[in-house]
Amino acid sequence: MAVTDTATTTTTTPTLPAHPDPDTDRILDSGLLHELSHAFDGPFHFLLPHRFDANLAAFRTTLTDAGVEGRVYYAKKANKAAVWTERCATHQAGVDVASAGELREALGHGVRGENIVVTGPAKSDELLRLALLQGCLVAVDALDELDLLLTLALTGTVRPARLLLRRLPSVQPHSRFGMNDAELETALDRCLRAGDAVRMEGFSFHLSGYATQPRADLADELIDLCLQARLLGLQADRISIGGGFAVDYSAADHWHTFLTEQQPAHFHAQKAFRARDFYPYHSPVAGADALRTILASTPEGGRHTLAERLRDTGTMLMLEPGRALLAGAGSTVFRVQGVKERAGYRIVTVDGTSLSLSEQWFNSEYLPDPQLVTPAGRVHGTPDAEVHPACVGGASCLESDLVTWRKVPFPARPRVGDLLVYPNTAGYQMDSNESPFHDLPLPPKVVMDRLGERPRWRLDRRPPC
Ligand SMILES: Cc1ncc(COP(=O)(O)O)c(C=O)c1O
């Protein structure tokens, strides 16, 4: 939906409202966020663990409905909070880790080693050693990594090394991850030679993007690889299809209108973004529904659905959703620290930096509209009312530190002391790029355990003693 900027200019400013979320609105209306902003004296994130539980349950139900034996591993890189790994431990779900630090965190919050899959390229000696000791499953990315893992297993006292072999996808031949046909053949040979020092449990991939059919096609290919490996005498009874289950942030009409209308004049400093660099903020098929679609798809050239193939071949399906398990599971709160005028819009400066909401790795920005919460409460927009466009700057001395380059059409003039609440930020936005630049403290995370009239909160981690 485009709204006319009657406040100060005649151009239109596109808006991208997030899907309505009554739980988040209740928190926004409770008055608690202003208290927390005062207490922390800086930005913070709030987390909704019941959403994580519901997303996990939806993935599991989808597997059950399809009659497929499967396991869900939370891709920990998507958010560092302890509460998610605690939820995984409670629900006996798995965790996908990609560093020794992430592995220690998962173990420390009660996830058993056998429920951990270790992904990522060129894993360090330390990470492989720890994975071996804890009985984790290692998704091997390259031959030299396989050699290191096998050496550790053959020379140490702990065995076997549990592993998957990661496939370089033919649909993404320029990916820096995974092994090609020849490398996989060599890897299988080395696994065979390693005897009982190794348990070759199957194959894996992770695809960029969110398309479902390529995932079904590649999963089918991995099942064939498993069948070949079984003929060689290897276990090969599971495949991992990685993550990449889309999150649906906004309604289709809002998103398509936004894409059609957005132009440099709508952004501070005429900044131009390429539409293809934006995350697809609307997805008709998202989260567990994407898994349902993948399972119901017939892989290219086949006659059976992926679910049927998994069942018929006795192959277990592993998945590693990050963003999708965190859908709707948190928001980010900044306080307005300054407001200045520019021709036709304002620059609002908040008490944190864009590194706490970042899309900059992707040459992009986080688009769902922030909500304006004044000390008197949430400000509601009405269709034909005046709007007050403002971009949102970070509290650093960098020209490029814009939390939002877009001139967001706020329903009221933002004032110092108001809060800007960015919705649905738990998946990657909160902390993947966070930095204590300028000695600014990292935003704390607050867990909302119980909603009700007066939400109950606690810190995700206790402050150090
Ligand atoms: C191997 C692997 N698994 C899982 C994920 C999680 O992806 P997403 O958060 O899109 O589900 C990633 C993301 O980079 C990955 O590389």
Side-chain angles (χ1 to χ4, degrees):
M1 182 193 0
V3 287
T4 304
D5 175 7
T6 52
T8 39
T9 103
T10 52
T11 55
T12 56
T13 329
T15 171
L16 190 66
H19 284 302
D21 177 359
D23 286 347
T24 298
D25 287 349
R26 205 158 348 129
I27 292 166
L28 264 56
D29 292 340
S30 69
L32 176 63
L33 299 184
H34 270 90
E35 273 177 39
L36 292 173
S37 170
H38 176 74
F40 296 134
D41 196 19
F44 60 98
H45 310 286
F46 65 85
L47 312 178
L48 304 176
H50 68 284
R51 287 283 168 71
F52 183 91
D53 294 351
N55 294 330
L56 175 61
F59 273 108
R60 285 177 158 176
T61 302
T62 303
L63 290 166
T64 310
D65 289 351
V68 165
E69 190 193 353
R71 286 198 192 148
V72 184
Y73 295 76
Y74 163 56
K76 194 177 176 327
K77 68 206 83 176
N79 190 301
K80 295 185 197 128
V83 70
W84 316 125
T85 36
E86 287 164 7
R87 302 314 294 163
C88 289
T90 302
H91 296 298
Q92 297 280 301
V95 177
D96 155 23
V97 302
S99 70
E102 285 187 351
L103 176 51
R104 277 195 290 269
E105 274 282 305
L107 292 168
H109 290 288
V111 181
R112 299 160 71 115
E114 69 200 51
N115 291 335
I116 294 175
V117 59
V118 184
T119 62
K123 295 166 200 64
S124 69
D125 204 275
E126 181 198 5
L127 177 56
L128 291 178
R129 217 178 275 277
L130 206 51
L132 187 61
L133 285 168
Q134 298 298 328
C136 308
L137 181 60
V138 178
V140 172
D141 188 61
L143 287 175
D144 56 354
E145 187 182 285
L146 177 64
D147 290 344
L148 179 54
L149 182 63
L150 294 182
T151 306
L152 290 172
L154 285 162
T155 55
T157 49
V158 181
R159 53 175 60 186
R162 297 178 57 217
L163 62 89
L164 302 173
L165 298 175
R166 182 163 169 170
R167 175 104 180 95
L168 169 68
S170 50
V171 282
Q172 291 176 359
H174 301 298
S175 168
R176 69 186 180 98
F177 301 106
M179 290 178 272
N180 62 24
D181 286 337
E183 288 166 327
L184 283 179
E185 207 179 301
T186 308
L188 286 173
D189 189 49
R190 289 183 192 173
C191 288
L192 278 171
R193 285 167 196 264
D196 67 2
V198 69
R199 214 160 83 197
M200 207 298 280
E201 299 192 8
F203 296 87
S204 72
F205 69 80
H206 171 77
L207 280 178
S208 302
Y210 297 94
T212 51
Q213 187 64 42
R215 288 181 161 77
D217 295 345
L218 199 43
D220 191 55
E221 202 181 308
L222 295 202
I223 293 173
D224 288 339
L225 287 173
C226 280
L227 296 179
Q228 289 163 26
R230 283 179 213 171
L231 289 178
L232 299 174
L234 296 166
Q235 177 179 320
D237 60 359
R238 65 201 64 193
I239 61 170
S240 172
I241 61 171
F245 303 90
V247 169
D248 186 35
Y249 292 83
S250 189
D253 55 343
H254 289 312
W255 176 232
H256 295 130
T257 308
F258 181 93
L259 284 182
T260 315
E261 293 186 347
Q262 65 96 20
Q263 50 174 280
H266 298 144
F267 295 84
H268 171 65
Q270 299 271 328
K271 174 120 176 137
F273 286 103
R274 290 184 309 191
R276 70 164 186 269
D277 289 334
F278 290 133
Y279 181 86
Y281 286 98
H282 170 72
S283 275
V285 181
D289 287 338
L291 174 62
R292 199 176 293 277
T293 303
I294 293 169
L295 288 170
S297 302
T298 302
E300 196 189 350
R303 282 181 297 116
H304 301 282
T305 65
L306 178 63
E308 286 164 347
R309 280 228 75 202
L310 289 161
R311 277 199 306 268
D312 294 348
T313 57
T315 307
M316 183 203 288
L317 181 71
M318 299 169 52
L319 37 136
E320 300 153 8
R323 193 186 285 263
L325 281 176
L326 298 168
S331 296
T332 297
V333 184
F334 294 98
R335 195 178 73 97
V336 175
Q337 212 157 256
V339 182
K340 62 162 63 157
E341 303 290 330
R342 284 287 186 267
Y345 68 104
R346 296 186 175 97
I347 300 175
V348 163
T349 302
V350 293
D351 56 352
T353 74
S354 56
L355 295 164
S356 295
L357 191 81
S358 189
E359 279 283 303
Q360 65 202 354
W361 271 14
F362 309 106
N363 208 12
S364 186
E365 78 171 353
Y366 188 67
L367 288 176
D369 292 342
Q371 293 216 58
L372 179 64
V373 186
T374 73
R378 206 153 38 109
V379 186
H380 299 270
T382 45
D384 295 318
E386 194 177 69
V387 292
H388 302 258
C391 64
V392 183
S396 78
C397 56
L398 298 182
E399 282 286 10
S400 57
D401 181 18
L402 269 287
V403 182
T404 302
W405 290 83
R406 182 166 57 100
K407 300 164 188 171
V408 178
F410 287 108
R413 180 194 195 288
R415 292 176 195 283
V416 171
D418 290 347
L419 303 180
L420 297 186
V421 182
Y422 284 83
N424 206 355
T425 53
Y428 293 106
Q429 306 306 321
M430 288 183 180
D431 59 23
S432 60
N433 293 337
E434 72 184 356
S435 154
F437 185 54
H438 278 316
D439 287 339
L440 289 166
L442 296 182
K445 296 195 180 86
V446 164
V447 180
M448 302 285 184
D449 277 325
R450 219 173 330 133
L451 296 183
E453 216 166 275
R454 183 80 187 147
R456 289 285 302 273
W457 67 276
R458 65 177 171 85
L459 283 173
D460 176 65
R461 288 166 201 273
R462 291 193 193 93
C465 302

